[in-house]
Amino acid sequence: MATTRKSKDQTAEIVKKIKHIQAESQSKDKGAGKYITDRCNKIARDVHTEFGVEVDSDTGELLSKPACSYRWYAQVMNKYRKAIQALGFKHHAIEYHVGAFIRKYQDKKPEVAELMNPDLPIEKLRENFLLLRAEMVNGSAMKRDLKELKFEHHAFYMFNPKGAVKSWIKQDSAARLNEKLNNMVLINPDWIKQKAHDLLVNKSSSTAELAIGLALATGRRVTEIMKTAKFNKVDDKTLMFEGQLKTRNRAIFEVVTPYRIPCMVEPEIVVKALQRLRKDSGKIGLSYKDVLGKEVKATISSGDLKDYPHNTAVQKYFTSTFNASIRSLLEDGRFTFKDTRAMYTEVTYDEHAKDGESRSAYRHRILGHSQIETQLHYDAFKVDSTVETVKFKADDQDVDQDKQKHLVEYLQKADDTVALYLRAPKIAIMHDWLKAEVENGLTLDKITPSYIRRYCLIEGKQINLNTVKKYLEEFVKLEQYEPPKAKKKKEKKEKPKGKKAREIFEIKERLEEIEDDKRDKESEHEDYEGEVEEREAQIEELKREIAEMKESMANISFEIEELESEEEDLQDRLAELEEEPDDEDQGDDETDDDDESPEEEKEAGGAPWPDVKTIKIGTRKSGDGYWAKATVNGEVFEVWSKGTRGNAIKALKDDYKEKTK
C-alpha cells in the first residue's frame, strides 16, 4: 500500500516546540538556561540526523551523504531560522553575551553600548547589529566577535546550515557561473526591442507573454512584475520605478526609494500593459505557508512589500510557467525568465549608460543590486546585430575543431535513417538540432539524454526522455562513436610502484569515474522528476477537462430529455386532435368556454375543473423516473412514473382526468 511521504520541511512543528520550550523555561528559575540549551540542541541534532547531515566536530567535514540536495537542506534550515526570528524571543543569556562584548569594545567604539543594549526590542537589535557589521573592518577581531555574538534565541544558532554544505554550495555556484561565462549569449537588440513591443501591445498575449514583455522592457523580477512594481512615465525613454524587492545583500530595514530606469519600449505601452496584466492576474488564489509554517490563503495582489513568504509564493506560482514560455519564445531550453534582466541591461547600455560608466556599474545602478558582484554572470550576454534573434555560442578556445568536425560527420551518417523514420518527426528535429549544436561547439562529453531533453525544445516543449534515449541508442548509436586519435598523445598517469600504492591509485581513478557517473545519473534523475511533475500536471488538467465534459454531457442529456418530453406532449396532443371531429362537423353544438353546460362542469369547492390541456405541470427527476405535480383549485395532484419526463406528465394527466370526472 502506498504511503504518504513526510515532508522534511517541518517549520510549524519546530515553531511549536520552540514556543513550548520557551514557556516551560519560565518555571525553571536558575535552570532555565540549561533547559533551553539542552532541549534546543536535542531538537537540532534530531533534525540534522533526519536530513542525514552529520559532520566531524574537529574538521567540519561531512561524515554522511545528506538525504536531500545540499541546496534544499540549506533552504529549510534558513526557513527554520526565519521562523524562530519571527517569534521575537531573545537569547536566554543575552545580558551575558552582549555585556561581555560591550565591556571589551566600548572604549574603542563607545556607541556599541547604546546600539547593542540588551533591553532594546529584538527588531532594533537586529538593525543595529547590521549597521555595526557594515561599519567594521573585515578580518578585525571586533567584527569577528560581533558575528559570533548571540542575541537571538538559542535555537536560531543551532539551525545554521553546516559549513561543509555552505562551502559545497559556494563552489557549485562558482562552477555554474564559470560555465555560464564560457557560453556567450548573442542578442540582436532590434529583434529583442520589437519582440518586447509586440508582446505588450498584442491583445491576445497571455499572462506569461505580458510578463516576459514587461521584464524585457524594464528588467524587473517575477514578483515585482506580478505584484510590487509601479511604473510612471518620466520621459519618452525613462520610467520611475517603485516596488524594489529586498535582495539577499540588503539590510532588512533598508527602504528602497523609487528610482529612474531605462525603458526599452515606449513608456506608455509598459504602463498600460502592467495595468492589463494585474487586472487579469491579481485575483489568482495562492496557498502557501507563512514564516511560522501556518497555511495561508491569499491572492496575488494581497500582501505588502515585505511579506516575504507571500512574495516567494508569487514567484513560485509563476516561475515554472514563465520559464517554459520564454524557452518557447526563444526556442532554446537554456533560457530562464531571469535572463530577461541580462538582456535588458545589455540592450539598453549603449544608450543609457553615463559617460565612463562600466557595464557592471550600470547594471548595479539600474537593477538595484546592493553589490556589484551580484550581477557578474550577466557578462555572458553580448549585443550582436549579425545574429537573427538570440543565440548561444560556446567559447571555442579550448574546443578541438577537428574533433567537432569528425563528430558532426559521424552524426550525419544517421541522416538517411532519421529521414526514413516517418513515425516520429521529433527524431528529425532533434537530429538537426544536435548537429547544429556540435558545429557550434557542443562537445561529446556533454551530449547526454538529460542535456538534449533540457535544451532541445519542440514547439516550446521538452522531449520525452525515453524518446531522446531511443534516438541516441538506435539512430546515431553514440556509444559506438570513437573520437579521432589525438595528434599528440596525452601523457598517461604513471601507475606508482608497489602493490598498496597501485591499489590506492586505481581506487582513486575509479572514484573519479564514479563521481562523473553519479553526476550524470543525478542529472537524469532530475529530468525524470521534472517529467513526472509535467505528466502529473497533465493528469490534473485532463481530470478537469473530463469533469467539464461530463458536466456538458449531463446538460445535454437533460436537454435531450426535455426535447423528448416535449415531443411526447406534442404526439399526445396530435393524437387527441386527430380523434376530435373536424370544426365543420360540430355545427351549432360548438359553444364558447364560458357557456359550458352544468353537466360538463365538475365542481371542486364551487369552482369548475379546468380542461386537462390547460393545467400547469411541474416535474423533477427521482431515481429512474420522474415526479409530476400540478395544483388545481387548491388540490394537489402528484404521481411518480418510471422512465421519461413525458411518461410522468401523461400519467398525471390520466390521474387528473380520472379524479375530475
Side-chain angles (χ1 to χ4, degrees):
M1 186 176 73
T3 56
T4 303
R5 186 173 62 178
K6 182 181 178 183
S7 170
K8 282 187 165 55
D9 180 359
Q10 300 293 307
T11 304
E13 288 78 358
I14 294 296
V15 166
K16 184 178 179 181
K17 289 176 181 178
I18 300 304
K19 290 170 76 174
H20 175 75
I21 290 170
Q22 194 68 16
E24 287 294 308
S25 68
Q26 303 303 312
S27 61
K28 302 295 181 182
D29 297 327
K30 292 183 179 180
K34 185 176 186 309
Y35 172 77
I36 292 173
T37 301
D38 291 346
R39 293 289 292 118
C40 290
N41 290 354
K42 171 69 167 57
I43 292 170
R45 279 197 304 270
D46 291 345
V47 167
H48 282 93
T49 299
E50 185 179 352
F51 273 94
V53 178
E54 297 182 55
V55 299
D56 185 290
S57 58
D58 296 322
T59 66
E61 294 180 355
L62 284 170
L63 299 175
S64 59
K65 180 174 175 58
C68 63
S69 74
Y70 289 3
R71 292 179 187 277
W72 173 245
Y73 155 76
Q75 183 180 337
V76 174
M77 291 301 103
N78 285 322
K79 284 185 72 174
Y80 291 172
R81 285 159 64 87
K82 287 180 180 178
I84 292 165
Q85 282 185 310
L87 294 173
F89 297 145
K90 294 180 183 178
H91 196 279
H92 59 276
I94 186 172
E95 287 84 2
Y96 169 77
H97 291 294
V98 174
F101 178 82
I102 290 172
R103 286 192 297 274
K104 186 174 180 180
Y105 292 110
Q106 66 178 345
D107 289 342
K108 295 181 179 180
K109 201 171 183 66
E111 64 267 30
V112 298
E114 181 181 352
L115 292 174
M116 296 308 295
N117 183 345
D119 295 329
L120 289 173
I122 189 70
E123 293 82 4
K124 193 63 180 176
L125 283 172
R126 290 169 186 156
E127 288 186 12
N128 294 344
F129 171 82
L130 291 170
L131 284 169
L132 284 170
R133 190 179 67 180
E135 292 172 358
M136 291 181 181
V137 178
N138 288 334
S140 65
M142 186 186 297
K143 188 163 189 175
R144 188 166 55 250
D145 288 346
L146 178 70
K147 290 167 73 174
E148 293 177 359
L149 190 61
K150 293 183 177 180
F151 59 90
E152 298 283 358
H153 191 275
H154 182 72
F156 172 82
Y157 304 100
M158 295 300 98
F159 288 113
N160 191 20
K162 299 299 183 183
V165 173
K166 290 196 283 191
S167 296
W168 183 93
I169 292 173
K170 186 176 181 180
Q171 291 169 6
D172 183 62
S173 297
R176 291 185 184 187
L177 174 58
N178 185 59
E179 186 176 349
K180 282 186 177 182
L181 293 176
N182 287 330
N183 288 276
M184 304 302 297
V185 182
L186 307 180
I187 313 162
N188 183 310
D190 294 330
W191 184 85
I192 281 290
K193 289 177 183 178
Q194 188 62 49
K195 180 56 66 176
H197 176 276
D198 293 347
L199 291 172
L200 295 178
V201 301
N202 192 336
K203 298 297 182 183
S204 62
S205 287
S206 64
T207 296
E209 289 169 334
L210 280 173
I212 291 169
L214 287 164
L216 287 171
T218 66
R220 300 309 106 186
R221 302 179 179 88
V222 172
T223 307
E224 289 169 347
I225 293 291
M226 301 310 300
K227 173 189 170 183
T228 65
K230 295 179 182 178
F231 297 124
N232 288 295
K233 177 182 175 181
V234 176
D235 53 41
D236 290 342
K237 296 181 179 180
T238 313
L239 288 165
M240 186 64 72
F241 164 58
E242 180 182 354
Q244 171 86 45
L245 288 174
K246 184 188 79 69
T247 63
R248 182 181 61 183
N249 300 302
R250 285 191 185 278
I252 59 173
F253 53 86
E254 183 179 349
V255 177
V256 184
T257 57
Y259 60 95
R260 291 172 60 147
I261 61 170
C263 189
M264 195 185 287
V265 301
E266 296 89 333
E268 296 91 342
I269 292 175
V270 167
V271 173
K272 289 179 181 178
L274 183 65
Q275 291 172 349
R276 179 177 153 204
L277 175 70
R278 297 279 177 81
K279 181 181 178 182
D280 293 339
S281 63
K283 296 179 182 178
I284 292 174
L286 294 174
S287 179
Y288 62 97
K289 291 183 178 179
D290 66 11
V291 69
L292 297 177
K294 295 178 181 178
E295 288 289 341
V296 177
K297 301 285 186 183
T299 60
I300 298 296
S301 59
S302 62
D304 61 30
L305 189 70
K306 290 188 177 182
D307 188 346
Y308 304 128
H310 182 269
N311 292 342
T312 302
V314 172
Q315 180 187 9
K316 287 183 177 179
Y317 184 90
F318 290 108
T319 296
S320 178
T321 302
F322 289 1
N323 284 344
S325 293
I326 197 163
R327 287 164 187 158
S328 176
L329 180 73
L330 302 179
E331 297 181 349
D332 197 308
R334 284 168 286 199
F335 289 104
T336 66
F337 189 84
K338 288 181 180 180
D339 293 326
T340 57
R341 287 164 69 77
M343 294 178 195
Y344 163 76
T345 55
E346 184 62 20
V347 171
T348 59
Y349 173 76
D350 287 336
E351 187 175 359
H352 293 275
K354 298 177 181 179
D355 290 342
E357 188 175 30
S358 68
R359 272 179 160 77
S360 58
Y362 173 71
R363 297 180 197 123
H364 171 70
R365 175 168 63 86
I366 66 170
L367 293 179
H369 287 138
S370 58
Q371 291 183 357
I372 292 180
E373 294 81 359
T374 307
Q375 31 77 30
L376 283 177
H377 68 279
Y378 291 2
D379 288 336
F381 291 76
K382 300 293 179 187
V383 166
D384 188 340
S385 297
T386 64
V387 299
E388 188 175 347
T389 56
V390 178
K391 181 182 179 182
F392 266 90
K393 185 180 184 301
D395 184 356
D396 56 7
Q397 291 181 358
D398 298 325
V399 174
D400 188 326
Q401 296 300 329
D402 290 335
K403 281 187 176 182
Q404 294 302 107
K405 184 179 178 182
H406 189 271
L407 179 54
V408 171
E409 290 172 353
Y410 177 80
L411 294 173
Q412 288 171 344
K413 292 178 181 179
D415 286 356
D416 292 340
T417 308
V418 169
L420 291 171
Y421 193 69
L422 302 177
R423 289 170 50 195
K426 290 181 180 180
I427 296 290
I429 297 172
M430 198 187 329
H431 186 57
D432 290 339
W433 177 88
L434 182 58
K435 289 186 293 182
E437 287 295 301
V438 172
E439 287 180 345
N440 193 40
L442 178 64
T443 53
L444 177 64
D445 58 305
K446 291 183 179 178
I447 302 176
T448 63
S450 297
Y451 184 92
I452 294 175
R453 179 182 182 270
R454 285 182 182 179
Y455 303 132
C456 177
L457 303 184
I458 298 177
E459 295 180 353
K461 296 180 180 178
Q462 293 181 330
I463 309 168
N464 182 285
L465 196 59
N466 290 327
T467 303
V468 181
K469 286 184 174 182
K470 179 182 178 72
Y471 162 70
L472 290 176
E473 294 169 3
E474 299 181 17
F475 288 86
V476 298
K477 300 176 181 176
L478 199 62
E479 287 186 357
Q480 298 179 17
Y481 173 68
E482 294 183 6
K485 292 181 180 179
K487 293 176 182 177
K488 290 184 180 180
K489 281 192 175 182
K490 211 175 183 182
E491 290 185 10
K492 290 185 177 180
K493 294 180 184 177
E494 283 190 20
K495 290 188 177 182
K497 296 177 181 179
K499 185 177 179 182
K500 178 181 176 182
R502 279 199 304 273
E503 186 175 356
I504 291 172
F505 175 81
E506 289 169 358
I507 288 173
K508 286 183 176 179
E509 277 200 329
R510 180 55 187 153
L511 284 172
E512 288 179 7
E513 292 174 2
I514 289 172
E515 192 62 35
D516 290 340
D517 290 343
K518 275 170 56 184
R519 196 175 294 112
D520 289 341
K521 293 296 180 187
E522 286 171 357
S523 179
E524 192 171 326
H525 187 273
E526 287 179 8
D527 279 337
Y528 271 121
E529 282 184 335
E531 196 160 327
V532 167
E533 287 181 6
E534 288 175 13
R535 296 300 172 88
E536 286 177 344
Q538 290 171 5
I539 289 171
E540 291 303 315
E541 185 62 31
L542 285 172
K543 284 181 178 178
R544 285 193 293 272
E545 289 179 5
I546 290 170
E548 290 172 1
M549 289 178 184
K550 285 183 175 179
E551 185 178 350
S552 297
M553 288 167 63
N555 290 335
I556 291 170
S557 295
F558 177 76
E559 290 170 2
I560 290 172
E561 289 176 358
E562 291 285 321
L563 290 171
E564 287 177 343
S565 175
E566 185 179 353
E567 181 184 29
E568 289 180 9
D569 288 347
L570 291 172
Q571 291 287 3
D572 291 344
R573 179 59 182 149
L574 179 61
E576 290 175 3
L577 288 171
E578 288 175 343
E579 289 175 2
E580 291 179 1
D582 293 336
D583 291 344
E584 63 262 30
D585 294 338
Q586 293 181 12
D588 295 335
D589 292 334
E590 184 179 358
T591 58
D592 293 335
D593 290 342
D594 293 339
D595 296 329
E596 287 186 23
S597 63
E599 288 78 21
E600 291 174 324
E601 295 179 2
K602 302 297 178 185
E603 296 295 327
W609 292 110
D611 189 277
V612 69
K613 290 177 286 189
T614 65
I615 66 174
K616 293 183 179 180
I617 301 173
T619 60
R620 62 183 174 85
K621 180 74 172 171
S622 177
D624 56 353
Y626 282 84
W627 280 99
K629 180 179 178 181
T631 302
V632 185
N633 293 341
E635 187 169 341
V636 176
F637 298 84
E638 188 172 21
V639 297
W640 180 87
S641 177
K642 185 176 181 180
T644 66
R645 178 173 173 271
N647 288 347
I649 292 173
K650 187 176 184 305
L652 186 133
K653 286 182 175 180
D654 292 342
D655 182 61
Y656 178 81
K657 289 176 183 177
E658 181 65 29
K659 290 180 177 177
T660 58
K661 283 182 180 179

